[in-house]
Amino acid sequence: MTLWNGSYPFYPGTNAYFPFDTTRTVIVTIFLSMLIMFIIILPGIPGKGRLFWFLRMVLGLFMGAVILTVQFTRDWENGWVQANTSYKSFSIVQVNVDIGLHIGLAGVNVTLRGNPVNQINETINYNEHFPWNFGADYDHSYSEGLEKGLPSPILYMAEKFSMQSPCAVHRQYRIASHYVSLTLWLAFCTWFISILLFSMSVLLYGGHMLLLTATLILFSLLFFSTMRNTLECPIQFGPVSLRTHYGESFWLTLVTGLLCLLLGLGIIILNSVLPEKLKFFFSLDKSSKEEMWDKFCLPAEPSCSTQDGLMVPLSELCHVTATQL
Protein backbone atom coordinates (compact mmCIF):
# COMPACT_ATOMS: atom_id res chain seq x y z
CA MET A 1 0.00 0.00 0.00
CA THR A 2 1.42 3.35 -1.00
CA LEU A 3 1.57 6.58 0.89
CA TRP A 4 -0.75 9.45 0.07
CA ASN A 5 0.32 12.90 1.24
CA GLY A 6 2.58 11.39 3.88
CA SER A 7 -0.01 9.09 5.48
CA TYR A 8 -1.47 5.66 4.91
CA PRO A 9 -4.74 5.85 2.94
CA PHE A 10 -6.62 3.26 5.08
CA TYR A 11 -6.57 5.55 8.14
CA PRO A 12 -9.79 7.55 8.47
CA GLY A 13 -9.96 11.14 9.60
CA THR A 14 -10.34 12.27 13.17
CA ASN A 15 -13.66 11.32 14.72
CA ALA A 16 -15.93 14.18 15.76
CA TYR A 17 -17.17 14.06 19.36
CA PHE A 18 -19.05 16.20 21.82
CA PRO A 19 -16.76 18.20 24.14
CA PHE A 20 -18.95 17.25 27.12
CA ASP A 21 -20.96 14.32 28.43
CA THR A 22 -24.54 14.77 27.25
CA THR A 23 -25.99 12.40 29.88
CA ARG A 24 -24.39 14.37 32.69
CA THR A 25 -25.65 17.59 31.15
CA VAL A 26 -29.25 16.31 31.06
CA ILE A 27 -29.13 15.22 34.72
CA VAL A 28 -27.59 18.47 35.91
CA THR A 29 -30.13 20.47 33.88
CA ILE A 30 -33.04 18.61 35.50
CA PHE A 31 -31.79 19.17 39.04
CA LEU A 32 -30.92 22.81 38.33
CA SER A 33 -34.44 23.33 36.98
CA MET A 34 -35.85 21.93 40.21
CA LEU A 35 -33.59 24.23 42.22
CA ILE A 36 -34.71 27.27 40.23
CA MET A 37 -38.33 26.27 40.82
CA PHE A 38 -37.70 26.11 44.58
CA ILE A 39 -36.01 29.52 44.48
CA ILE A 40 -39.06 30.98 42.72
CA ILE A 41 -41.46 29.74 45.40
CA LEU A 42 -39.07 30.63 48.25
CA PRO A 43 -40.68 34.06 48.95
CA GLY A 44 -43.96 32.28 49.68
CA ILE A 45 -42.49 30.42 52.66
CA PRO A 46 -43.44 32.38 55.81
CA GLY A 47 -41.27 33.17 58.82
CA LYS A 48 -37.77 32.10 59.73
CA GLY A 49 -38.32 28.61 58.33
CA ARG A 50 -37.64 29.97 54.86
CA LEU A 51 -33.87 29.66 55.22
CA PHE A 52 -34.02 26.17 56.72
CA TRP A 53 -36.43 25.02 54.02
CA PHE A 54 -34.12 26.29 51.27
CA LEU A 55 -31.11 24.64 52.93
CA ARG A 56 -32.93 21.31 53.08
CA MET A 57 -33.85 21.55 49.41
CA VAL A 58 -30.29 22.38 48.34
CA LEU A 59 -28.74 19.54 50.35
CA GLY A 60 -31.33 17.05 49.13
CA LEU A 61 -30.94 17.99 45.47
CA PHE A 62 -27.14 17.97 45.76
CA MET A 63 -27.02 14.45 47.19
CA GLY A 64 -29.48 13.08 44.64
CA ALA A 65 -27.74 14.76 41.70
CA VAL A 66 -24.32 13.41 42.70
CA ILE A 67 -25.54 9.85 43.30
CA LEU A 68 -27.24 9.79 39.90
CA THR A 69 -24.60 11.66 37.90
CA VAL A 70 -21.54 9.61 38.93
CA GLN A 71 -23.20 6.56 37.38
CA PHE A 72 -22.44 8.00 33.95
CA THR A 73 -19.20 9.91 34.48
CA ARG A 74 -15.91 8.70 33.09
CA ASP A 75 -13.46 10.15 35.59
CA TRP A 76 -13.50 7.75 38.54
CA GLU A 77 -9.82 7.13 37.81
CA ASN A 78 -7.61 9.36 35.67
CA GLY A 79 -4.08 9.50 34.34
CA TRP A 80 -2.18 11.81 31.99
CA VAL A 81 1.25 11.69 30.42
CA GLN A 82 3.09 13.71 27.78
CA ALA A 83 5.30 11.67 25.49
CA ASN A 84 6.98 11.42 22.11
CA THR A 85 5.58 8.30 20.49
CA SER A 86 4.74 6.80 17.15
CA TYR A 87 1.41 7.92 15.78
CA LYS A 88 0.51 5.09 13.39
CA SER A 89 1.43 1.48 12.88
CA PHE A 90 4.12 0.67 10.35
CA SER A 91 5.40 4.23 10.58
CA ILE A 92 8.49 5.68 12.24
CA VAL A 93 7.01 9.20 12.47
CA GLN A 94 7.10 10.50 16.05
CA VAL A 95 4.59 13.00 17.46
CA ASN A 96 4.44 14.88 20.73
CA VAL A 97 1.08 14.18 22.37
CA ASP A 98 -0.81 14.30 25.66
CA ILE A 99 -2.26 10.87 26.40
CA GLY A 100 -5.10 10.54 28.91
CA LEU A 101 -6.72 7.50 30.48
CA HIS A 102 -10.18 7.91 32.05
CA ILE A 103 -11.82 4.96 33.77
CA GLY A 104 -15.52 5.05 34.59
CA LEU A 105 -18.16 2.58 35.65
CA ALA A 106 -19.21 1.95 32.05
CA GLY A 107 -15.79 1.55 30.43
CA VAL A 108 -12.52 3.22 29.48
CA ASN A 109 -11.94 6.50 27.66
CA VAL A 110 -8.62 7.16 25.95
CA THR A 111 -7.76 10.74 24.99
CA LEU A 112 -5.04 11.65 22.52
CA ARG A 113 -4.24 15.32 21.93
CA GLY A 114 -1.30 16.65 19.96
CA ASN A 115 1.15 19.34 21.08
CA PRO A 116 0.33 21.24 18.92
CA VAL A 117 -2.94 19.75 17.73
CA ASN A 118 -2.00 20.03 14.04
CA GLN A 119 0.99 17.80 13.26
CA ILE A 120 2.13 15.80 10.24
CA ASN A 121 -0.67 17.38 8.19
CA GLU A 122 -3.34 15.97 10.55
CA THR A 123 -5.44 17.10 13.48
CA ILE A 124 -4.55 14.93 16.46
CA ASN A 125 -7.51 15.15 18.81
CA TYR A 126 -9.13 11.83 19.71
CA ASN A 127 -11.44 10.67 22.48
CA GLU A 128 -12.34 6.99 22.14
CA HIS A 129 -14.65 5.02 24.45
CA PHE A 130 -14.37 1.27 25.02
CA PRO A 131 -17.37 0.04 27.06
CA TRP A 132 -17.62 -2.92 29.44
CA ASN A 133 -21.07 -2.29 30.95
CA PHE A 134 -23.94 -4.79 30.72
CA GLY A 135 -24.71 -5.71 27.12
CA ALA A 136 -21.38 -4.32 25.82
CA ASP A 137 -18.47 -6.31 24.42
CA TYR A 138 -15.15 -4.67 25.20
CA ASP A 139 -13.12 -6.91 22.90
CA HIS A 140 -15.52 -6.21 20.04
CA SER A 141 -15.06 -2.46 20.53
CA TYR A 142 -11.30 -2.98 20.58
CA SER A 143 -11.49 -4.98 17.34
CA GLU A 144 -13.51 -2.19 15.72
CA GLY A 145 -10.76 0.24 16.74
CA LEU A 146 -8.22 -1.97 15.00
CA GLU A 147 -10.35 -2.07 11.86
CA LYS A 148 -10.76 1.73 11.86
CA GLY A 149 -7.03 2.16 12.21
CA LEU A 150 -6.98 4.25 15.38
CA PRO A 151 -3.64 5.76 16.38
CA SER A 152 -1.18 3.41 18.02
CA PRO A 153 -1.19 5.03 21.51
CA ILE A 154 -4.99 4.57 21.77
CA LEU A 155 -4.85 0.94 20.69
CA TYR A 156 -1.91 0.27 23.00
CA MET A 157 -3.80 1.57 26.05
CA ALA A 158 -7.07 -0.08 25.07
CA GLU A 159 -5.28 -3.41 24.66
CA LYS A 160 -4.14 -3.25 28.30
CA PHE A 161 -7.78 -3.64 29.44
CA SER A 162 -8.81 -6.34 26.96
CA MET A 163 -9.48 -9.93 28.02
CA GLN A 164 -6.50 -11.19 26.00
CA SER A 165 -4.08 -8.81 27.73
CA PRO A 166 -1.44 -10.37 30.01
CA CYS A 167 -2.23 -7.61 32.52
CA ALA A 168 -5.46 -9.48 33.42
CA VAL A 169 -7.17 -6.37 34.80
CA HIS A 170 -10.30 -6.49 32.64
CA ARG A 171 -12.15 -8.90 34.91
CA GLN A 172 -11.41 -6.93 38.11
CA TYR A 173 -12.43 -3.59 36.64
CA ARG A 174 -15.56 -4.90 34.96
CA ILE A 175 -16.94 -6.83 37.95
CA ALA A 176 -16.07 -4.08 40.44
CA SER A 177 -17.73 -1.45 38.24
CA HIS A 178 -20.92 -3.52 38.07
CA TYR A 179 -21.05 -3.82 41.87
CA VAL A 180 -20.39 -0.10 42.29
CA SER A 181 -23.15 0.78 39.84
CA LEU A 182 -25.65 -1.54 41.53
CA THR A 183 -24.82 -0.18 44.99
CA LEU A 184 -25.21 3.41 43.82
CA TRP A 185 -28.62 2.66 42.30
CA LEU A 186 -29.69 1.26 45.67
CA ALA A 187 -28.32 4.40 47.33
CA PHE A 188 -30.37 6.55 44.97
CA CYS A 189 -33.52 4.62 45.93
CA THR A 190 -32.85 5.00 49.67
CA TRP A 191 -32.14 8.72 49.16
CA PHE A 192 -35.50 9.12 47.42
CA ILE A 193 -37.26 7.25 50.24
CA SER A 194 -35.60 9.52 52.81
CA ILE A 195 -36.90 12.58 50.93
CA LEU A 196 -40.42 11.13 51.05
CA LEU A 197 -40.14 10.40 54.77
CA PHE A 198 -38.94 13.93 55.52
CA SER A 199 -41.79 15.37 53.48
CA MET A 200 -44.22 13.30 55.58
CA SER A 201 -42.55 14.57 58.79
CA VAL A 202 -41.28 11.10 59.74
CA LEU A 203 -37.91 12.49 60.80
CA LEU A 204 -36.43 9.54 62.69
CA TYR A 205 -36.99 7.03 59.89
CA GLY A 206 -35.77 9.60 57.39
CA GLY A 207 -32.52 9.82 59.36
CA HIS A 208 -32.21 6.03 59.30
CA MET A 209 -32.65 6.02 55.52
CA LEU A 210 -29.94 8.68 55.19
CA LEU A 211 -27.61 6.44 57.22
CA LEU A 212 -28.43 3.55 54.91
CA THR A 213 -27.74 5.79 51.90
CA ALA A 214 -24.35 6.76 53.35
CA THR A 215 -23.51 3.11 54.03
CA LEU A 216 -24.30 2.12 50.44
CA ILE A 217 -22.24 4.99 49.02
CA LEU A 218 -19.22 4.15 51.18
CA PHE A 219 -19.49 0.48 50.24
CA SER A 220 -19.50 1.44 46.55
CA LEU A 221 -16.24 3.33 47.07
CA LEU A 222 -14.82 0.30 48.83
CA PHE A 223 -15.73 -1.90 45.87
CA PHE A 224 -14.03 0.49 43.46
CA SER A 225 -10.91 0.71 45.63
CA THR A 226 -10.40 -3.05 45.45
CA MET A 227 -9.39 -2.67 41.80
CA ARG A 228 -6.35 -0.63 42.77
CA ASN A 229 -5.17 -3.26 45.23
CA THR A 230 -4.31 -5.57 42.35
CA LEU A 231 -0.95 -5.42 40.61
CA GLU A 232 -0.84 -2.40 38.34
CA CYS A 233 -0.21 -3.00 34.68
CA PRO A 234 2.66 -0.78 33.46
CA ILE A 235 1.74 1.60 30.64
CA GLN A 236 5.02 2.81 29.13
CA PHE A 237 5.58 5.37 26.40
CA GLY A 238 9.31 5.31 25.93
CA PRO A 239 11.03 6.56 29.10
CA VAL A 240 7.81 7.83 30.71
CA SER A 241 4.98 5.83 32.26
CA LEU A 242 1.32 6.67 32.78
CA ARG A 243 0.05 6.38 36.35
CA THR A 244 -3.56 6.74 37.38
CA HIS A 245 -5.15 8.26 40.49
CA TYR A 246 -8.65 8.70 41.85
CA GLY A 247 -10.68 11.17 39.81
CA GLU A 248 -13.26 13.83 40.58
CA SER A 249 -16.20 11.42 40.62
CA PHE A 250 -14.57 9.29 43.33
CA TRP A 251 -13.88 12.23 45.63
CA LEU A 252 -17.29 13.81 44.97
CA THR A 253 -18.97 10.51 45.85
CA LEU A 254 -16.90 10.31 49.04
CA VAL A 255 -17.95 13.83 50.07
CA THR A 256 -21.60 12.96 49.40
CA GLY A 257 -21.36 9.76 51.43
CA LEU A 258 -19.81 11.57 54.41
CA LEU A 259 -22.46 14.30 54.13
CA CYS A 260 -25.26 11.70 54.25
CA LEU A 261 -23.56 10.05 57.23
CA LEU A 262 -23.27 13.29 59.20
CA LEU A 263 -26.82 14.40 58.41
CA GLY A 264 -28.26 11.00 59.29
CA LEU A 265 -26.40 10.82 62.60
CA GLY A 266 -27.29 14.44 63.38
CA ILE A 267 -31.00 13.85 62.81
CA ILE A 268 -31.04 10.70 64.96
CA ILE A 269 -29.11 12.36 67.81
CA LEU A 270 -31.21 15.53 67.75
CA ASN A 271 -34.39 13.47 67.72
CA SER A 272 -33.28 11.88 71.01
CA VAL A 273 -31.67 14.88 72.71
CA LEU A 274 -33.29 18.03 71.30
CA PRO A 275 -36.45 17.04 69.43
CA GLU A 276 -37.83 20.60 69.53
CA LYS A 277 -34.75 21.95 67.73
CA LEU A 278 -35.11 19.27 65.10
CA LYS A 279 -38.78 20.11 64.58
CA PHE A 280 -37.88 23.78 64.28
CA PHE A 281 -35.30 22.99 61.58
CA PHE A 282 -37.91 21.01 59.63
CA SER A 283 -40.53 23.75 60.18
CA LEU A 284 -42.64 21.51 62.41
CA ASP A 285 -42.77 23.91 65.40
CA LYS A 286 -46.34 23.83 66.74
CA SER A 287 -46.00 26.80 69.10
CA SER A 288 -47.61 29.26 66.71
CA LYS A 289 -50.62 26.98 66.18
CA GLU A 290 -51.00 26.40 69.90
CA GLU A 291 -50.98 30.14 70.52
CA MET A 292 -53.76 30.61 67.96
CA TRP A 293 -55.78 27.83 69.65
CA ASP A 294 -55.31 29.43 73.07
CA LYS A 295 -56.75 32.69 71.76
CA PHE A 296 -59.99 30.90 70.97
CA CYS A 297 -60.08 29.49 74.49
CA LEU A 298 -59.64 32.88 76.27
CA PRO A 299 -62.68 34.69 77.81
CA ALA A 300 -64.40 36.86 75.27
CA GLU A 301 -64.34 40.60 75.67
CA PRO A 302 -67.65 42.48 76.00
CA SER A 303 -67.19 44.11 72.66
CA CYS A 304 -66.86 40.77 70.96
CA SER A 305 -70.31 39.49 71.96
CA THR A 306 -73.83 40.87 71.79
CA GLN A 307 -74.67 39.24 75.10
CA ASP A 308 -72.88 39.35 78.42
CA GLY A 309 -71.36 35.91 78.63
CA LEU A 310 -68.11 34.00 78.87
CA MET A 311 -66.41 31.79 76.36
CA VAL A 312 -65.65 28.42 77.94
CA PRO A 313 -62.59 26.47 76.79
CA LEU A 314 -63.35 23.34 74.89
CA SER A 315 -61.32 21.27 77.35
CA GLU A 316 -63.64 22.28 80.19
CA LEU A 317 -66.88 21.41 78.46
CA CYS A 318 -68.91 18.68 80.16
CA HIS A 319 -69.91 15.64 78.21
CA VAL A 320 -73.72 15.44 78.01
CA THR A 321 -75.43 12.17 77.41
CA ALA A 322 -78.80 12.31 75.69
CA THR A 323 -81.38 9.72 76.69
CA GLN A 324 -83.98 8.72 74.18
CA LEU A 325 -87.56 9.16 75.44
Short mmCIF file of all heavy atoms in Angstrom, two decimals, residues 119-147:
data_model
loop_
_atom_site.label_atom_id
_atom_site.label_comp_id
_atom_site.label_asym_id
_atom_site.label_seq_id
_atom_site.Cartn_x
_atom_site.Cartn_y
_atom_site.Cartn_z
N GLN A 119 -0.34 18.34 13.52
CA GLN A 119 0.99 17.80 13.26
C GLN A 119 0.90 16.84 12.09
O GLN A 119 -0.14 16.22 11.85
CB GLN A 119 1.53 17.07 14.49
CG GLN A 119 1.76 17.95 15.71
CD GLN A 119 2.40 17.17 16.85
OE1 GLN A 119 3.43 16.54 16.68
NE2 GLN A 119 1.77 17.23 18.02
N ILE A 120 1.99 16.70 11.40
CA ILE A 120 2.13 15.80 10.24
C ILE A 120 0.90 15.87 9.33
O ILE A 120 0.36 14.85 8.90
CB ILE A 120 2.41 14.35 10.68
CG1 ILE A 120 1.28 13.82 11.59
CG2 ILE A 120 3.74 14.22 11.37
CD1 ILE A 120 1.41 12.33 11.90
N ASN A 121 0.46 17.11 9.09
CA ASN A 121 -0.67 17.38 8.19
C ASN A 121 -1.98 16.75 8.68
O ASN A 121 -2.87 16.43 7.88
CB ASN A 121 -0.37 16.89 6.77
CG ASN A 121 0.79 17.61 6.16
OD1 ASN A 121 1.00 18.81 6.40
ND2 ASN A 121 1.59 16.89 5.36
N GLU A 122 -2.13 16.54 9.99
CA GLU A 122 -3.34 15.97 10.55
C GLU A 122 -3.71 16.70 11.83
O GLU A 122 -2.86 17.33 12.47
CB GLU A 122 -3.18 14.48 10.83
CG GLU A 122 -3.08 13.61 9.60
CD GLU A 122 -3.17 12.14 9.94
OE1 GLU A 122 -3.71 11.82 11.02
OE2 GLU A 122 -2.68 11.32 9.15
N THR A 123 -4.97 16.56 12.20
CA THR A 123 -5.44 17.10 13.48
C THR A 123 -5.50 15.96 14.48
O THR A 123 -6.33 15.04 14.35
CB THR A 123 -6.83 17.74 13.32
OG1 THR A 123 -6.76 18.79 12.37
CG2 THR A 123 -7.33 18.29 14.66
N ILE A 124 -4.63 16.00 15.47
CA ILE A 124 -4.55 14.93 16.46
C ILE A 124 -5.39 15.33 17.67
O ILE A 124 -4.95 16.08 18.55
CB ILE A 124 -3.09 14.67 16.87
CG1 ILE A 124 -2.23 14.38 15.64
CG2 ILE A 124 -3.00 13.54 17.87
CD1 ILE A 124 -0.76 14.20 15.93
N ASN A 125 -6.60 14.85 17.70
CA ASN A 125 -7.51 15.15 18.81
C ASN A 125 -8.57 14.04 18.86
O ASN A 125 -9.60 14.11 18.20
CB ASN A 125 -8.17 16.52 18.62
CG ASN A 125 -8.90 16.97 19.87
OD1 ASN A 125 -8.80 16.34 20.92
ND2 ASN A 125 -9.65 18.04 19.77
N TYR A 126 -8.27 13.00 19.64
CA TYR A 126 -9.13 11.83 19.71
C TYR A 126 -9.66 11.66 21.13
O TYR A 126 -9.00 12.01 22.12
CB TYR A 126 -8.34 10.56 19.34
CG TYR A 126 -8.03 10.42 17.87
CD1 TYR A 126 -6.93 11.06 17.32
CD2 TYR A 126 -8.82 9.64 17.04
CE1 TYR A 126 -6.63 10.93 15.97
CE2 TYR A 126 -8.53 9.49 15.69
CZ TYR A 126 -7.42 10.13 15.17
OH TYR A 126 -7.12 10.00 13.83
N ASN A 127 -10.86 11.07 21.20
CA ASN A 127 -11.44 10.67 22.48
C ASN A 127 -12.27 9.43 22.22
O ASN A 127 -13.42 9.52 21.80
CB ASN A 127 -12.29 11.79 23.09
CG ASN A 127 -12.81 11.42 24.46
OD1 ASN A 127 -12.34 10.48 25.09
ND2 ASN A 127 -13.79 12.17 24.92
N GLU A 128 -11.70 8.26 22.47
CA GLU A 128 -12.34 6.99 22.14
C GLU A 128 -12.82 6.30 23.41
O GLU A 128 -12.14 6.29 24.44
CB GLU A 128 -11.37 6.07 21.39
CG GLU A 128 -10.91 6.62 20.05
CD GLU A 128 -12.04 6.68 19.04
OE1 GLU A 128 -12.96 5.83 19.13
OE2 GLU A 128 -11.99 7.55 18.16
N HIS A 129 -14.04 5.72 23.32
CA HIS A 129 -14.65 5.02 24.45
C HIS A 129 -14.73 3.54 24.15
O HIS A 129 -15.18 3.13 23.07
CB HIS A 129 -16.04 5.59 24.73
CG HIS A 129 -16.73 4.94 25.88
ND1 HIS A 129 -16.26 5.01 27.17
CD2 HIS A 129 -17.88 4.19 25.93
CE1 HIS A 129 -17.07 4.34 27.98
NE2 HIS A 129 -18.06 3.84 27.25
N PHE A 130 -14.32 2.72 25.13
CA PHE A 130 -14.37 1.27 25.02
C PHE A 130 -15.20 0.75 26.21
O PHE A 130 -14.73 0.73 27.35
CB PHE A 130 -12.96 0.66 25.05
CG PHE A 130 -12.08 1.16 23.93
CD1 PHE A 130 -11.27 2.28 24.12
CD2 PHE A 130 -12.06 0.52 22.71
CE1 PHE A 130 -10.45 2.74 23.11
CE2 PHE A 130 -11.25 0.99 21.68
CZ PHE A 130 -10.45 2.09 21.88
N PRO A 131 -16.46 0.36 25.95
CA PRO A 131 -17.37 0.04 27.06
C PRO A 131 -17.19 -1.39 27.58
O PRO A 131 -16.79 -2.30 26.85
CB PRO A 131 -18.75 0.23 26.44
CG PRO A 131 -18.54 -0.13 25.00
CD PRO A 131 -17.14 0.30 24.66
N TRP A 132 -17.56 -1.57 28.86
CA TRP A 132 -17.62 -2.92 29.44
C TRP A 132 -18.87 -3.07 30.32
O TRP A 132 -18.96 -3.99 31.14
CB TRP A 132 -16.37 -3.24 30.26
CG TRP A 132 -16.08 -2.27 31.39
CD1 TRP A 132 -16.94 -1.71 32.28
CD2 TRP A 132 -14.79 -1.79 31.75
NE1 TRP A 132 -16.29 -0.90 33.16
CE2 TRP A 132 -14.95 -0.94 32.86
CE3 TRP A 132 -13.51 -2.00 31.25
CZ2 TRP A 132 -13.88 -0.28 33.48
CZ3 TRP A 132 -12.44 -1.36 31.86
CH2 TRP A 132 -12.64 -0.50 32.96
N ASN A 133 -19.85 -2.19 30.16
CA ASN A 133 -21.07 -2.29 30.95
C ASN A 133 -21.91 -3.46 30.45
O ASN A 133 -21.55 -4.16 29.50
CB ASN A 133 -21.87 -0.99 30.89
CG ASN A 133 -22.14 -0.54 29.47
OD1 ASN A 133 -21.43 -0.91 28.55
ND2 ASN A 133 -23.18 0.23 29.28
N PHE A 134 -23.07 -3.68 31.09
CA PHE A 134 -23.94 -4.79 30.72
C PHE A 134 -24.40 -4.63 29.27
O PHE A 134 -24.82 -3.57 28.84
CB PHE A 134 -25.17 -4.84 31.63
CG PHE A 134 -24.85 -5.30 33.02
CD1 PHE A 134 -24.90 -4.41 34.07
CD2 PHE A 134 -24.51 -6.62 33.27
CE1 PHE A 134 -24.61 -4.82 35.36
CE2 PHE A 134 -24.22 -7.05 34.55
CZ PHE A 134 -24.27 -6.15 35.60
N GLY A 135 -24.29 -5.73 28.52
CA GLY A 135 -24.71 -5.71 27.12
C GLY A 135 -23.64 -5.21 26.17
O GLY A 135 -23.90 -5.14 24.96
N ALA A 136 -22.47 -4.84 26.66
CA ALA A 136 -21.38 -4.32 25.82
C ALA A 136 -20.24 -5.34 25.76
O ALA A 136 -19.98 -6.05 26.74
CB ALA A 136 -20.88 -2.99 26.35
N ASP A 137 -19.59 -5.40 24.64
CA ASP A 137 -18.47 -6.31 24.42
C ASP A 137 -17.21 -5.48 24.23
O ASP A 137 -17.03 -4.83 23.21
CB ASP A 137 -18.73 -7.19 23.19
CG ASP A 137 -17.71 -8.30 23.04
OD1 ASP A 137 -16.68 -8.27 23.75
OD2 ASP A 137 -17.93 -9.20 22.21
N TYR A 138 -16.35 -5.50 25.25
CA TYR A 138 -15.15 -4.67 25.20
C TYR A 138 -14.23 -5.12 24.06
O TYR A 138 -13.70 -4.28 23.31
CB TYR A 138 -14.41 -4.75 26.53
CG TYR A 138 -13.21 -3.85 26.62
CD1 TYR A 138 -13.31 -2.56 27.14
CD2 TYR A 138 -11.96 -4.27 26.17
CE1 TYR A 138 -12.21 -1.72 27.21
CE2 TYR A 138 -10.85 -3.44 26.24
CZ TYR A 138 -10.97 -2.17 26.75
OH TYR A 138 -9.88 -1.34 26.82
N ASP A 139 -14.03 -6.42 23.94
CA ASP A 139 -13.12 -6.91 22.90
C ASP A 139 -13.64 -6.59 21.51
O ASP A 139 -12.85 -6.34 20.58
CB ASP A 139 -12.92 -8.42 23.06
CG ASP A 139 -12.06 -8.76 24.26
OD1 ASP A 139 -11.40 -7.84 24.79
OD2 ASP A 139 -12.07 -9.94 24.68
N HIS A 140 -14.96 -6.58 21.34
CA HIS A 140 -15.52 -6.21 20.04
C HIS A 140 -15.24 -4.74 19.73
O HIS A 140 -14.90 -4.40 18.59
CB HIS A 140 -17.02 -6.48 20.03
CG HIS A 140 -17.69 -6.11 18.75
ND1 HIS A 140 -17.49 -6.80 17.56
CD2 HIS A 140 -18.56 -5.10 18.45
CE1 HIS A 140 -18.20 -6.26 16.61
NE2 HIS A 140 -18.86 -5.21 17.10
N SER A 141 -15.38 -3.88 20.74
CA SER A 141 -15.06 -2.46 20.53
C SER A 141 -13.58 -2.27 20.20
O SER A 141 -13.22 -1.44 19.37
CB SER A 141 -15.43 -1.66 21.78
OG SER A 141 -16.81 -1.78 22.06
N TYR A 142 -12.73 -3.06 20.86
CA TYR A 142 -11.30 -2.98 20.58
C TYR A 142 -11.01 -3.45 19.15
O TYR A 142 -10.18 -2.85 18.45
CB TYR A 142 -10.53 -3.81 21.59
CG TYR A 142 -9.06 -3.90 21.33
CD1 TYR A 142 -8.24 -2.78 21.46
CD2 TYR A 142 -8.48 -5.11 20.93
CE1 TYR A 142 -6.87 -2.86 21.21
CE2 TYR A 142 -7.12 -5.20 20.68
CZ TYR A 142 -6.33 -4.08 20.82
OH TYR A 142 -4.98 -4.16 20.57
N SER A 143 -11.70 -4.49 18.71
CA SER A 143 -11.49 -4.98 17.34
C SER A 143 -11.96 -3.94 16.32
O SER A 143 -11.33 -3.77 15.27
CB SER A 143 -12.26 -6.29 17.14
OG SER A 143 -11.80 -7.29 18.02
N GLU A 144 -13.06 -3.25 16.63
CA GLU A 144 -13.51 -2.19 15.72
C GLU A 144 -12.48 -1.07 15.65
O GLU A 144 -12.28 -0.47 14.58
CB GLU A 144 -14.85 -1.64 16.20
CG GLU A 144 -16.03 -2.58 16.00
CD GLU A 144 -17.33 -1.96 16.44
OE1 GLU A 144 -17.29 -0.94 17.18
OE2 GLU A 144 -18.40 -2.47 16.04
N GLY A 145 -11.82 -0.77 16.76
CA GLY A 145 -10.76 0.24 16.74
C GLY A 145 -9.60 -0.19 15.86
O GLY A 145 -9.00 0.65 15.16
N LEU A 146 -9.27 -1.47 15.88
CA LEU A 146 -8.22 -1.97 15.00
C LEU A 146 -8.62 -1.84 13.54
O LEU A 146 -7.80 -1.47 12.69
CB LEU A 146 -7.91 -3.43 15.34
CG LEU A 146 -7.18 -3.71 16.66
CD1 LEU A 146 -7.12 -5.20 16.92
CD2 LEU A 146 -5.78 -3.12 16.62
N GLU A 147 -9.89 -2.16 13.24
CA GLU A 147 -10.35 -2.07 11.86
C GLU A 147 -10.38 -0.62 11.37
O GLU A 147 -10.11 -0.35 10.19
CB GLU A 147 -11.74 -2.69 11.76
CG GLU A 147 -11.77 -4.19 12.01
CD GLU A 147 -13.17 -4.74 11.98
OE1 GLU A 147 -14.11 -3.93 11.76
OE2 GLU A 147 -13.34 -5.96 12.17
#
